Every structure is written in C-alpha cells, then in structure tokens.
C-alpha cells in the first residue's frame, strides 16, 4: 500500500500568514485533513505531521515525515504577496524540478488549475527545510494567496474540489511511479551436483528444440529452459516441456 504523509504548514505559535484575522495555519489544516480523507478513501495509507493546532519546527516536520516511512511528503500552505490583492493563483515548490517530485508537483498544479486557480507553475526552493531534509520526494503546495480576497473566496467555496484536485494529482503520480523490478520465473528441468549430468540434459533439451542453459546455485547445477517475467509464459513453456517428456518446475 502506498503511504503518504501530509503536513499542514505552520501551527500552534506559528500562524503563518495573517490577513484580516484569517490565519494560514487554520486553512492549511482544513485542506490537509480534507486531502487526507480523500486519499484514505482511495486506499492510501495517510499520516499527518499534525491534526491539531500544535507547533513543530520545519526540521521537526521533516523528521516526522522521515520517521513515517511515507512514499511522498506533501506540505500544504497558502501564499502571501507583499501587498494584499496583488498575488493570485496556485504554485508548487520542490527541492529540484525533476524526478517524482517534479512530476507530482506538475500533476497537482494541473488538477488545481481545473478548480479555477491560475497556475503559477513549479518553483524550485532548495533552501526550504521540509523539502531539503525529507528523504522521500516532497512538495509544498501554495493553495492560493491568503492575502487575496478572491483567492480566499475560491478557497472557501471550493474547499472540497481543491482537496480532490490535490488528491487526484497525488493518485495520478502514484499510478505513474516506475514499477518495481519484475519477478523472474525460471522453468527448471533438472538440478544436479554433477556438472556433466546437467550439461547432458541441457544438450538434450537443445536438440529437442528448447533453449536451455545451466546455472550453478546453492550447490547444484540447475538446468533451466527459459526465464520469463510473465508467469503465463513460464507455465506455457512448462507445458511444452512436459509434453516432450521432461520433468519441470517453476522457480522465481
Ligand atoms: Zn506557509
């Protein structure tokens, strides 16, 4: 099962951006929990750096993430411009715009764009602690500007769609992750302590039209008639060998 850790930015004594009595830490937590609920519904194992209004330093947040053994670290924030109502839109920060983190950031931005936010793109911020001290691919999402009234309006009116967009971007990334090394199924026809016996069997297989080779492992010369990444193909080969009178079994 895939495991995700979600970090609601700031918390406790650190409110993040404050604008007209609105505290960033509260928006971050609301959105973080909403994203987590959607991911849980999709079978993802979700944990959080915080689920209440408590303070952790950015370094502590990164360590909570690392100790969770999650596959991805998702930090959720809201942006701020120098002057109110001058900045708008969403952006996602990464340590470096490459690999899974870059892909994840792009997927999240693309989905967030569908909720009506302007897409400000993927931005490299290598100096951020939650991005540079986490061991797994990590992103920091800026979900609109907290000191922009229309961004706040959109945030409040569409919180569930925004959460779903972030979750969809994460789920899309999990689906496109490079697959793990494939299992190899070997069709073994015989195993001998004596190398000559093994070679003789391999020769007989070859003269019967099968591919064969001898592999020495754990004290035995093992005669194999193929290696397959697809179990069906291995079973098919086994069937042909048995029809030709060979004893076989499949190892992986
Ligand atoms: Zn923030």
């Amino acid at each position: 099962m895939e495991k995700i850790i979600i970090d609601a930015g700031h918390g406790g004594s650190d409110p993040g951006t404050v604008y007209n009595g609105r505290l960033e830490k509260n928006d971050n937590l609301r959105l973080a929990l909403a994203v987590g609920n959607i991911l849980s519904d999709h079978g993802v194992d979700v944990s959080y750096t915080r689920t209440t209004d408590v303070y952790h330093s950015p370094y502590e947040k990164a360590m909570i993430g690392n100790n969770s053994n999650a596959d991805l670290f998702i930090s959720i924030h809201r942006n701020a411009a120098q002057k109110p109502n001058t900045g708008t839109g969403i952006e996602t920060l990464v340590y470096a715009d490459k690999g899974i983190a870059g892909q994840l950031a792009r997927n999240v931005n693309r989905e967030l764009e569908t909720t009506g936010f302007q897409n400000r793109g993927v931005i490299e911020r290598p100096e951020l602690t939650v991005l540079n001290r986490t061991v797994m691919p990590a992103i920091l999402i800026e979900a609109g500007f907290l000191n922009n009234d229309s961004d706040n309006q959109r945030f409040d009116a569409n919180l569930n769609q925004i959460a779903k967009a972030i979750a969809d971007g994460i789920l899309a990334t999990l689906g496109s992750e490079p697959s793990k090394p494939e299992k190899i199924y070997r069709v073994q026809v015989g195993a001998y302590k004596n190398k000559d016996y093994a070679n003789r069997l391999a020769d007989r297989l070859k003269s019967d039209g099968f591919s064969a080779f001898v592999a020495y492992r754990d004290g035995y010369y093992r005669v194999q008639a193929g290696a397959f990444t697809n179990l069906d193909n291995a079973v098919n080969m086994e069937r042909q060998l048995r029809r030709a009178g060979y004893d076989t079994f499949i190892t992986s």
Side-chain angles (χ1 to χ4, degrees):
M1 193 200 277
E2 306 287 352
K3 191 163 185 194
I4 304 286
I5 183 147
I6 304 177
D7 168 45
H10 312 283
S13 58
D14 171 16
T17 299
V18 178
Y19 175 65
N20 289 343
R22 185 174 180 129
L23 308 181
E24 184 196 345
K25 64 177 183 177
N26 296 334
D27 281 8
N28 296 343
L29 183 56
R30 268 205 295 160
L31 183 54
L33 295 175
V35 171
N37 283 337
I38 296 167
L39 289 173
S40 296
D41 288 346
H42 284 79
V44 176
D45 183 359
V46 176
S47 60
Y48 302 89
T49 56
R50 68 179 178 102
T51 55
T52 57
D53 186 20
V54 292
Y55 175 78
H56 299 107
S57 69
Y59 179 77
E60 286 169 326
K61 286 170 178 286
M63 291 309 118
I64 294 168
N66 291 346
N67 289 330
S68 76
N69 288 316
D71 301 301
L72 302 173
F73 184 98
I74 314 291
S75 188
I76 292 180
H77 285 251
R78 300 211 53 215
N79 218 337
Q82 208 83 352
K83 287 184 189 164
N85 296 307
T86 57
T88 181
I90 56 92
E91 62 192 39
T92 298
L93 315 181
V94 293
Y95 175 78
D97 186 3
K98 59 178 187 183
I100 292 172
Q103 189 61 53
L104 174 61
R106 226 167 299 285
N107 289 343
V108 166
N109 282 357
R110 186 195 61 228
E111 296 295 332
L112 279 173
E113 210 177 339
T114 68
T115 67
F117 278 116
Q118 185 194 320
N119 182 354
R120 300 165 59 93
V122 178
I123 296 164
E124 293 188 341
R125 292 287 299 276
E127 78 284 7
L128 291 180
T129 302
V130 294
L131 300 180
N132 68 30
R133 299 306 292 263
T134 38
V135 295
M136 66 287 280
I139 61 170
L140 190 155
I141 301 164
E142 299 276 17
F145 283 69
L146 187 110
N147 62 354
N148 178 309
D149 294 313
S150 64
D151 275 17
N152 286 343
Q153 218 164 38
R154 175 165 284 130
F155 186 90
D156 294 335
N158 305 308
L159 186 79
N160 288 331
Q161 287 101 302
I162 293 165
K164 187 179 179 300
I166 293 171
D168 284 349
I170 293 167
L171 291 167
T173 312
L174 293 176
S176 67
E177 234 183 342
S179 52
K180 308 210 164 66
E182 283 182 285
K183 208 170 179 175
I184 304 285
Y185 300 98
R186 296 184 172 84
V187 182
Q188 184 169 303
V189 185
Y192 302 92
K193 294 244 183 215
N194 183 313
K195 191 179 181 180
D196 291 336
Y197 291 170
N199 283 333
R200 222 170 292 159
L201 177 58
D203 288 343
R204 187 152 70 85
L205 280 162
K206 284 178 198 161
S207 68
D208 282 347
F210 295 101
S211 71
F213 62 97
V214 176
Y216 184 76
R217 205 168 66 244
D218 302 331
Y220 286 90
Y221 294 93
R222 297 164 192 273
V223 183
Q224 292 172 3
F228 304 89
T229 55
N230 182 321
L231 181 58
D232 287 345
N233 292 338
V235 168
N236 200 21
M237 173 57 73
E238 185 170 56
R239 203 172 292 139
Q240 290 177 45
L241 286 161
R242 289 197 170 159
R243 216 174 285 141
Y246 293 98
D247 275 335
T248 66
F249 74 91
I250 293 172
T251 64
S252 67

